[in-house]
Every structure is written in C-alpha cells, then in structure tokens.
Amino acid sequence: AQGSRAQTVDEPFWTSEISQWAEGITDPFSALTSLQCLVIPLLGSNRQPLGIVGLLERSDGGNVASEDLHRATTLAAEAAMVLEATQNLYAADQHRRRSENLMAAALELNSTVRLPQFMEGFTVRAATMLGARAAALAIMQGKHLDTVVLYDPGARHDSTAHHRLDV
C-alpha cells in the first residue's frame, strides 16, 4: 500500500513500494522486488532542515506502521537536537577564539610596542583569526603598495620578512 508522500521538506515520507514513488531513484535498488522507504527530516529548533534519516526495508518484512513513524520521528528529533547542539558548540568556540584574538589585538594596540613588532603581531594574529596558512601586510607608500610583513610558518626561509621603516 502506498504511504504518505511528503509535501514539504519538514514532513516525513513513507512508502511500501518506492518504485511507485519516483522514477530513477530506484535504480540502485532495482534488484529488490519491493522496497520500503521511511524518510524523516532532521529539523533544528527553528524548523530549519539539518538533514534526513532514511530507513529501507523492515527486517521482519512487514509494512511501515504508524508506530514506526512515531519512533523514527522521535529518534530524528533527538538526533537533530544533538546535531544542532554540536553545531552551536562549534560556533560558540569560534566566537570565543575570535573574541580572544580581538582582545589580544586591542591590548597590543594599547601597549608600547614598536611599530615593526606591532605589524608582525597584527599579521600573525590576522592569519590565525582567519585560519590562513600565510599572510602579508602591505601599506601604501605614495602610489605603490609596500610589503611590510610576510608571514608563512611553512616556508623554509625566515618566516617573517620585515621592511625597515623609518619610524
């Protein structure tokens, strides 16, 4: 018997005969005579889609029942909660790192660091904050850009090259 077809991304879908549902999707499963499918969306707290859980063929050969749908929906809600919490932890960690880097940069600005050390520290910190492998700092000298700091810790040569400024 044909089940319910999802009308939107946030609704479950199930069928007892996937070949009747959509052409082309059954190609990888063409050797199976009957393919049951239960698809449950993983929805975040604001109902934004985070992914899906797809289940194929009941092990006992029976049809997808409303109890199966209820269990799968509950499981998907728990998985979505864990996934969203993990994403939020990752975002919080990124925000914490950026905040620490910005605070350190602010402290450097308020200290009595000489200009060459400040420029090197600023370039290294910018590379770290942005996750860059290497960085460069250039300033305008008249109509031309003049490279002041090159930072590349993976380079075989001196990782920082300073242009001497008359400051």
Side-chain angles (χ1 to χ4, degrees):
Q2 186 72 20
S4 166
R5 182 164 182 198
Q7 299 300 312
T8 64
V9 144
D10 62 350
E11 295 177 28
F13 165 77
W14 73 95
T15 182
S16 294
E17 184 60 54
I18 198 167
S19 63
Q20 296 175 8
W21 177 57
E23 290 182 26
I25 198 166
T26 58
D27 289 346
F29 310 107
S30 59
L32 300 173
T33 57
S34 174
L35 181 66
Q36 298 171 345
C37 177
L38 173 59
V39 177
I40 307 293
L42 299 174
L43 301 174
S45 58
N46 294 331
R47 302 211 35 93
Q48 74 276 16
L50 302 173
I52 62 168
V53 174
L55 306 167
L56 302 175
E57 291 293 320
R58 284 183 47 111
S59 59
D60 65 3
N63 289 329
V64 174
S66 62
E67 187 175 321
D68 298 327
L69 179 63
H70 177 71
R71 280 191 238 165
T73 302
T74 301
L75 178 65
E78 291 177 16
M81 187 171 52
V82 170
L83 183 59
E84 189 171 36
T86 302
Q87 290 174 340
N88 289 340
L89 277 172
Y90 178 77
D93 187 53
Q94 293 296 317
H95 291 307
R96 180 191 56 79
R97 286 185 193 153
R98 286 186 197 116
S99 177
E100 288 173 356
N101 283 327
L102 290 171
M103 287 298 294
L107 289 173
E108 285 179 9
L109 285 172
N110 289 330
S111 67
T112 55
V113 174
R114 294 182 40 87
L115 187 57
Q117 288 94 2
F118 168 74
M119 291 186 297
E120 178 182 345
F122 175 80
T123 305
V124 170
R125 189 166 312 285
T128 302
M129 281 178 67
L130 300 173
R133 183 187 61 78
L137 175 66
I139 59 172
M140 289 298 290
Q141 295 287 353
K143 293 184 177 184
H144 300 10
L145 276 176
D146 195 8
T147 302
V148 179
V149 178
L150 292 174
Y151 169 73
D152 185 355
R156 293 184 185 203
H157 61 281
D158 183 19
S159 64
T160 57
H162 296 283
H163 175 77
R164 301 290 178 210
L165 295 176
D166 296 325
V167 178

